[in-house]
Amino acid sequence: MPEHATAKRWSLQDLLPDPVEQSLQAALADLENKVSALEAQRESLSEDIVTEVFLALLHEYEAISDIMGRLGAYGELWFSEDTHDQAALNMRDRIRATLTEAGNRILFFSLWLKELPDETAERLIASSGDLRYFLETERKFKPHTLSESEEQIINLKDANGIEAMMNLYEMITSKFIYSLEVDGQTKTLTRDQLATYYRHPSPDVRAATYRELYRVYADNSTLLAQMYNHRVRDWKNEGGLRKFEQPISYRNLANDLPDNVVDTLLDVCRRNSAVFQRYFRLKANWIGMEKLRRYDVYAPLAASDKEFAYGDAVEIVLDSFEHFSPRVAQLAGRVFTADHIDAEIRSGKRGGAFCYSVSPPLTPWVFLNYSGKARDVATMAHELGHAVHGMLAADHSPLTFHSSLPLAETASVFAEMMLTDRLLNEESDPAVRRDLLAGAIDDAYATIQRQSFFTIFEKDAHSMISGGARVGDICVAYMDNLREQFGDSLELSDDFKWEWITIPHFYRVPFYTYAYSFGQLLVLALYRQYQQEGDPFVPRYLKLLSYGGSEEPVKVLEEAGFDASSPEFWQGGFDVLSGMIDTLEEL
Ligand SMILES: [Zn+2]
């Protein structure tokens, strides 16, 4: 594949062809016409609107969203290419301002949808074809919505109430500075900088890193714990007014996951604590310790310094896709032939990696900073997996082809699994094999087990605080949570009792973190079925991806023949991990 041999800049011609200014003007004029046309029909919105009239309006709304999506993408993608380019910055800001204005002008349509009486809504939704799930999503909070004046009061009071308190939490904690001695030098660090030392090769530095983190938070624990107390009580009071069954139910509805499916996921994680405990005992061995301390969970193994030329990485990734399904490889290949990948490292280019699926007929754009490390190859597979997901869902509307949050990482993480499999099959060096497997288990611990135990803790903390528990009780509950997670597989020191006040998600977005466990364990559970079924699994998997965001996550899985409410399904994910740990034990 000579055309993929070197990393280069992508082309944005498919969004706005040259001359760009002229196509931009044309797109803006088109947007203005369509927005004005929709506005002009505002009067026809009523409870007895004729179904055909409604559908025509809905499709205009859809077309407007599509133009807005394309313009927004152009602004963001060009700016990502070169953040120092003044013209790109101006263009992005100009587009953003236009889109905000257009968004406000068409807002009335979705507000009207939300407020429709059930009977009318049912009639219209039944006729809406592929847009059904989009409309249902718009209305899913209706049963929990209060009267207009009550909602206004909550908004007003939240701005200076709980929202303000959460801003204060961020303001206070982001000002914390940490001091750490490394190689005889005392460094003054921010939390992000400090966090890099969790993975330091020296056991003393790792321990000092955690101790410093908790020293600073413990100094402020009275204040931060009190803020958490308010967060929990506010959540409970508002959840009560809105008639949610449990504190976690609001988040489950936002994710469109039934309470029982989430409970099953958390139960299965709980019952599998021994899987990671076995891994931690092995890891202690590799890094020459009798027993791991909690400080050493992310300790690095002697990493192999194998490098991959860009062209080789492309070949390896596409080949691992090909092995799974030629269709997946062919779709991923389109990203390259369309010149929609920007992988080279350039000054001024944004950091990180992403995939941007803009509109169903357009091949998604993939952004990488490819530096040749094994991690970069995995990232390439990950982002191309997202792109394949978008292309498989291309038969849907611009409003329904983006996957919903719980399924958003399915194709990407699955693509990483394909790659790992292929690399393991070819690799004979035990050190490299161990690196690959241990890296995957480290990631699985951080995304699956740690995050699900966070949610388990939140459930306990919310019920304890509502029952009048004090800060000390919450610390005890947190330590109990960690002990259940780690058993006697590692040494747990008392400083970790403050970890819960260091987790911004607990304050800002309660019960958010299980979404990470859901996404990652789902992929492993699917992978288990692939291992068991072989080729017949492939069409079911592709079918799952082809739904995009046109259906409820659990229904998407069900349609493809996977039962997310069954503990056995999720157990399959842990069985994959156990198998990997078996292999590690034999190395
Ligand atoms: Zn991703």
Side-chain angles (χ1 to χ4, degrees):
M1 280 161 249
E3 75 271 27
H4 310 150
T6 49
K8 47 184 184 179
R9 196 183 279 256
W10 56 25
S11 155
L12 301 180
Q13 289 284 309
D14 290 344
L15 283 172
L16 289 179
D18 280 335
V20 169
E21 189 54 37
Q22 209 175 310
S23 11
L24 175 68
Q25 289 309 330
L28 290 174
D30 188 22
L31 177 64
E32 175 57 38
N33 285 336
K34 289 194 161 70
V35 169
S36 306
L38 188 67
E39 278 180 319
Q41 295 173 80
R42 192 171 178 159
E43 299 309 312
S44 64
L45 293 178
S46 70
E47 286 176 28
D48 41 44
I49 187 168
V50 177
T51 307
E52 286 67 33
V53 175
F54 168 74
L55 289 179
L57 288 177
L58 181 61
H59 290 300
E60 281 177 45
Y61 181 82
E62 180 187 32
I64 292 170
S65 306
D66 193 44
I67 303 175
M68 290 175 65
R70 288 167 186 248
L71 285 171
Y74 188 86
E76 299 304 326
L77 292 177
W78 185 22
F79 180 68
S80 303
E81 267 180 54
D82 188 353
T83 58
H84 295 165
D85 183 341
Q86 199 58 42
L89 178 65
N90 286 342
M91 170 76 95
R92 186 195 68 171
D93 291 349
R94 198 169 130 210
I95 289 176
R96 275 190 183 176
T98 309
L99 296 187
T100 307
E101 199 221 311
N104 283 335
R105 284 168 65 191
I106 60 168
L107 188 62
F108 70 90
F109 187 71
S110 60
L111 290 177
W112 175 76
L113 278 174
K114 284 191 179 85
E115 282 154 19
L116 276 181
D118 291 343
E119 212 174 303
T120 315
E122 276 161 30
R123 167 173 65 90
L124 299 177
I125 287 174
S127 69
S128 60
D130 190 46
L131 290 169
R132 176 185 52 78
Y133 182 63
F134 164 74
L135 297 176
E136 285 171 358
T137 307
E138 290 282 296
R139 290 176 53 82
K140 70 184 176 186
F141 281 97
K142 181 131 197 296
H144 305 281
T145 303
L146 306 172
S147 73
E148 194 176 347
S149 58
E150 288 167 325
E151 291 290 346
Q152 282 170 346
I153 293 170
I154 290 181
N155 275 340
L156 273 173
K157 300 299 283 181
D158 274 356
N160 293 293
I162 193 67
E163 288 304 319
M165 179 133 27
M166 295 305 103
N167 287 338
L168 289 176
Y169 172 85
E170 273 170 25
M171 287 167 74
I172 292 167
T173 54
S174 65
K175 277 180 76 176
F176 289 167
I177 45 169
Y178 307 86
S179 119
L180 186 70
E181 201 184 302
V182 187
D183 303 329
Q185 244 192 347
T186 303
K187 296 177 184 284
T188 301
L189 305 166
T190 65
R191 180 163 171 188
D192 281 348
Q193 291 168 326
L194 184 76
T196 61
Y197 292 94
Y198 299 150
R199 292 163 202 277
H200 198 274
S202 150
D204 290 342
V205 172
R206 291 195 298 267
T209 302
Y210 282 101
R211 288 190 189 122
E212 176 63 3
L213 175 74
Y214 295 131
R215 180 190 68 77
V216 172
Y217 272 84
D219 278 351
N220 294 275
S221 60
T222 313
L223 179 68
L224 300 179
Q226 185 61 28
M227 287 179 154
Y228 187 64
N229 207 321
H230 289 303
R231 155 43 87 204
V232 169
R233 288 173 183 278
D234 184 77
W235 191 262
K236 178 187 160 66
N237 292 342
E238 190 171 331
L241 290 174
R242 296 187 183 282
K243 311 237 177 318
F244 281 108
E245 231 166 81
Q246 313 163 33
I248 197 175
S249 304
Y250 167 85
R251 184 69 55 211
N252 293 346
L253 182 64
N255 289 334
D256 219 342
L257 292 174
D259 287 352
N260 71 316
V261 167
V262 176
D263 288 343
T264 302
L265 166 77
L266 295 177
D267 278 351
V268 172
C269 288
R270 250 183 143 142
R271 277 194 270 121
N272 282 278
S273 296
V275 172
F276 288 103
Q277 291 171 11
R278 179 156 74 104
Y279 173 71
F280 292 136
R281 290 193 190 97
L282 276 175
K283 184 160 180 172
N285 242 324
W286 299 329
I287 61 172
M289 298 180 93
E290 182 97 359
K291 194 179 200 180
L292 227 54
R293 305 162 302 168
R294 168 62 186 85
Y295 304 133
D296 307 311
V297 161
Y298 301 113
L301 305 178
S304 64
D305 41 17
K306 197 165 170 171
E307 297 242 347
F308 297 81
Y310 178 76
D312 294 341
V314 174
E315 217 179 300
I316 293 168
V317 169
L318 292 182
D319 197 58
S320 71
F321 289 4
E322 178 82 32
H323 182 76
F324 176 78
S325 147
R327 174 143 169 74
V328 170
Q330 176 230 331
L331 290 172
R334 259 172 52 189
V335 174
F336 295 92
T337 45
D339 268 336
H340 282 198
I341 184 162
D342 193 317
E344 67 177 347
I345 295 185
R346 293 185 305 268
S347 123
K349 183 174 164 178
R350 244 185 71 172
F354 62 80
C355 169
Y356 205 137
S357 294
V358 182
S359 172
L362 298 178
T363 301
W365 277 262
V366 166
F367 183 90
L368 304 172
N369 278 280
Y370 188 81
S371 73
K373 300 273 179 286
R375 189 68 242 162
D376 294 316
V377 187
T379 304
M380 181 190 288
H382 182 105
E383 302 307 340
L384 286 171
H386 279 304
V388 169
H389 198 168
M391 288 184 267
L392 282 169
D395 288 341
H396 296 288
S397 150
L399 298 172
T400 53
F401 94 112
H402 285 118
S403 156
S404 56
L405 175 74
L407 299 181
E409 293 298 329
T410 310
S412 54
V413 180
F414 200 91
E416 286 190 63
M417 290 292 293
M418 294 177 204
L419 174 70
T420 307
D421 236 21
R422 138 98 208 225
L423 292 174
L424 277 172
N425 281 336
E426 300 209 331
E427 189 60 64
S428 52
D429 180 349
V432 181
R433 288 173 62 85
R434 194 185 68 178
D435 254 20
L436 279 165
L437 285 164
I441 308 239
D442 277 343
D443 285 354
Y445 167 71
T447 18
I448 298 171
Q449 205 67 346
R450 178 169 161 81
Q451 307 299 331
S452 60
F453 271 83
F454 275 166
T455 303
I456 292 167
F457 163 75
E458 284 183 281
K459 289 179 80 166
D460 291 343
H462 277 248
S463 99
M464 288 174 71
I465 290 173
S466 305
R470 291 163 182 260
V471 179
D473 306 324
I474 305 301
C475 288
V476 170
Y478 194 73
M479 288 301 276
D480 287 344
N481 176 287
L482 292 181
R483 268 190 286 270
E484 180 181 345
Q485 202 183 140
F486 297 119
D488 62 359
S489 69
L490 50 73
E491 216 69 69
L492 184 64
S493 48
D494 195 48
D495 29 12
F496 283 88
K497 72 178 179 207
W498 290 122
E499 186 172 25
W500 59 281
I501 59 170
T502 73
I503 309 295
H505 281 108
F506 292 171
Y507 289 79
R508 180 56 78 183
V509 274
F511 304 105
Y512 185 81
T513 60
Y514 78 76
Y516 298 118
S517 321
F518 185 101
Q520 184 95 13
L521 194 60
L522 173 68
V523 169
L524 292 173
L526 292 173
Y527 208 76
R528 184 58 170 180
Q529 307 231 338
Y530 175 46
Q531 287 175 330
Q532 288 169 340
E533 289 169 32
D535 286 343
F537 169 85
V538 176
R540 295 167 69 203
Y541 173 73
L542 299 184
K543 180 174 179 189
L544 185 171
L545 298 186
S546 72
Y547 277 89
S550 66
E551 183 56 276
E552 211 181 304
V554 168
K555 285 226 185 87
V556 171
L557 290 167
E558 194 183 296
E559 294 282 317
F562 307 105
D563 179 5
S565 65
S566 126
E568 291 74 33
F569 173 72
W570 296 104
Q571 183 59 43
F574 278 99
D575 294 345
V576 172
L577 291 170
S578 294
M580 291 164 92
I581 298 171
D582 290 342
T583 311
L584 278 167
E585 240 168 4
E586 289 154 16
L587 281 177

